[in-house]
Amino acid sequence: MKKNKKKLFAVLLCVLILSSSVVVQAYTESSWLIFPSVEGVTYKGKTSTHGNGSAMWANATTMASKGVAGGRMGSLARLYLNGSLVKSTGVIYNGGGAQSIIASTPTNSTRGNYKAGGTSYIYNPSTGSYSAHTLINSPAQTFSDSEVEIIRNENGEIYGSEYELLLYGIQPDLVSAIGVDGTEGYVKEADINAVPQTLEEALEYTPTAYEVPLYEEDGETVIGTFIVDVPTEAE
């Protein structure tokens, strides 16, 4: 009887060990990208991917060297699955006295290769406008003889994977994306980058989710819908 109890305990222990190993925390991040100083304050940004074993999400972090007034910096986050955009948020701005602002996308549970991207927005009082700094979560690359293929449609618009093209400093007009029902197509870069342009607009801005059309590569034929989500502010 004691032997059976020991065996049962051992089995239960193995089950508990196996169960506890199911949830795996995944985390990768880019290097910090340093931006030009504004009024003596240095800004920087980075992106990171996060996972809990059942879903993935992306963060975009913008940080100042000290606390700054409200609306002086903003973050927008994007999550890519196998090179295609699957989650994108609007921009979120800092409150008064904050030293960082982190935008976080909703989660996605499809299996595949995930990367994070995003944009940092820095307000410059001398110009009265924001400068946008593209963030990308990728290993450092060395220039070589390799070439990136740039494909244009009949309207002259560049289309393809935003993640891959941004590695070469190319912003596509039509971004490869996966719609709400799993349809693969393209969203217009201008549609997913609608952000306030002035400090006054940023301070009054309330992020809301909105739909944008999902197109074929011609940028005209609508085949579905993509959602630009409300960003959540990560701690």
Side-chain angles (χ1 to χ4, degrees), residues 160-182:
S161 167
E162 181 180 60
Y163 176 79
E164 294 175 358
L165 287 170
L166 282 177
L167 296 178
Y168 295 88
I170 301 168
Q171 173 64 62
D173 303 297
L174 296 168
V175 176
S176 173
I178 299 174
V180 293
D181 61 354

Side-chain angles (χ1 to χ4, degrees), residues 170-232:
I170 301 168
Q171 173 64 62
D173 303 297
L174 296 168
V175 176
S176 173
I178 299 174
V180 293
D181 61 354
T183 301
E184 296 184 6
Y186 300 87
V187 292
K188 292 186 176 181
E189 182 269 339
D191 288 345
I192 59 176
N193 279 332
V195 298
Q197 300 299 312
T198 67
L199 181 62
E200 290 73 20
E201 291 176 350
L203 291 174
E204 296 177 358
Y205 175 69
T206 300
T208 55
Y210 62 95
E211 295 183 356
V212 299
L214 187 74
Y215 297 93
E216 289 188 353
E217 62 192 41
D218 60 9
E220 297 177 351
T221 306
V222 177
I223 57 175
T225 300
F226 183 87
I227 302 294
V228 178
D229 291 290
V230 175
T232 55

Side-chain angles (χ1 to χ4, degrees), residues 33-47:
L33 181 62
I34 308 299
F35 312 136
S37 297
V38 177
E39 294 187 328
V41 180
T42 301
Y43 294 89
K44 59 184 180 180
K46 71 175 181 179
T47 61

